[in-house]
Amino acid sequence: MDHIKLRAATMSDLDDFHSFFSDDDVMRYWSTAPYTDIAQTEKFLRNMIDSEWNGVCDFAIEYAAPPVAPRAIGKIGLWDGHKIGFMLDRAFWGRGLMTKAMSEFLSDLWKNDKMEDIKEIEADVDPRNDASVGILKKFGFKETGYRERTVETHLGWCDSLYLKMERPAAVTK
């Protein structure tokens, strides 16, 4: 059985993070090209670890299926205070693991006293990224807008589909 948990990132995650940050398919809709040097991943991971939000609203997604040792297979979290981002190692796509991670993330986020000032979460997604749009909509994110040519990435100019989820009215801690 597949088991995941959200946890703070550590430097021991470097090789695992590099496996997905260097993957063309995983990085297709990210704002940068796939990382070609592990030093790029190390810089990203170090910034994540050094943030006060590591393990609070920014997490490594850990996979465990004994007898295989647990490993980081993705990340999920907020950036810029209220914008959600997530990615998953391609080897784990299609197994419902991001659905499990998103469920745990949102449940914990709304119950966390440190996050009580967050009234909504926003997403800015490349509209071609059907999987991410699908996950967000599954959890109640609603489309709020669409803009063409919002960011130039390794793919060229990309459009943005904007989605939003408001804090649930009643959250039990």
Side-chain angles (χ1 to χ4, degrees):
M1 179 170 197
D2 294 331
H3 297 284
I4 60 135
K5 73 175 183 178
L6 306 184
R7 61 164 175 77
T10 68
M11 283 311 295
S12 64
D13 295 325
L14 180 59
D15 289 338
D16 294 337
F17 267 55
H18 191 64
S19 74
F20 48 87
F21 271 102
S22 62
D23 185 294
D24 289 338
D25 289 332
V26 174
M27 296 293 283
R28 177 172 291 127
Y29 302 112
W30 200 253
S31 57
T32 64
Y35 294 172
T36 57
D37 188 322
I38 200 164
Q40 293 170 286
T41 308
E42 182 177 3
K43 180 180 178 184
F44 180 94
L45 186 57
R46 193 165 301 285
N47 286 337
M48 185 177 173
I49 292 166
D50 290 346
S51 168
E52 66 182 303
W53 302 112
N54 185 32
V56 177
C57 64
D58 198 15
F59 301 94
I61 301 170
E62 182 179 276
Y63 174 82
V68 177
R71 62 170 284 224
I73 62 164
K75 75 167 299 302
I76 188 168
L78 297 182
W79 58 276
D80 201 18
H82 63 283
K83 296 178 182 171
I84 192 166
F86 49 93
M87 62 174 24
L88 189 67
D89 189 309
R90 183 168 32 110
F92 295 88
W93 289 2
R95 294 164 65 172
L97 298 175
M98 187 53 76
T99 297
K100 289 179 183 180
M102 183 69 75
S103 178
E104 184 175 331
F105 174 78
L106 292 172
S107 175
D108 291 350
L109 178 75
W110 299 130
K111 293 176 187 176
N112 188 328
D113 291 336
K114 293 181 181 179
M115 301 288 105
E116 65 188 2
D117 290 339
I118 295 177
K119 303 303 180 208
E120 63 186 28
I121 302 172
E122 296 177 0
D124 176 349
V125 185
D126 186 314
R128 298 171 291 183
N129 189 345
D130 294 332
S132 290
V133 172
I135 287 281
L136 292 165
K137 287 184 174 183
K138 181 186 290 190
F139 284 92
F141 281 76
K142 304 290 185 208
E143 289 186 30
T144 60
Y146 184 96
R147 287 189 52 213
E148 294 180 354
R149 297 176 56 92
T150 54
V151 64
E152 188 173 17
T153 73
H154 56 289
L155 299 176
W157 280 101
C158 298
D159 298 345
S160 288
L161 175 64
Y162 301 104
L163 301 100
K164 178 172 76 171
M165 169 189 247
E166 294 183 3
R167 174 183 279 281
V171 176
T172 55
K173 294 186 181 189

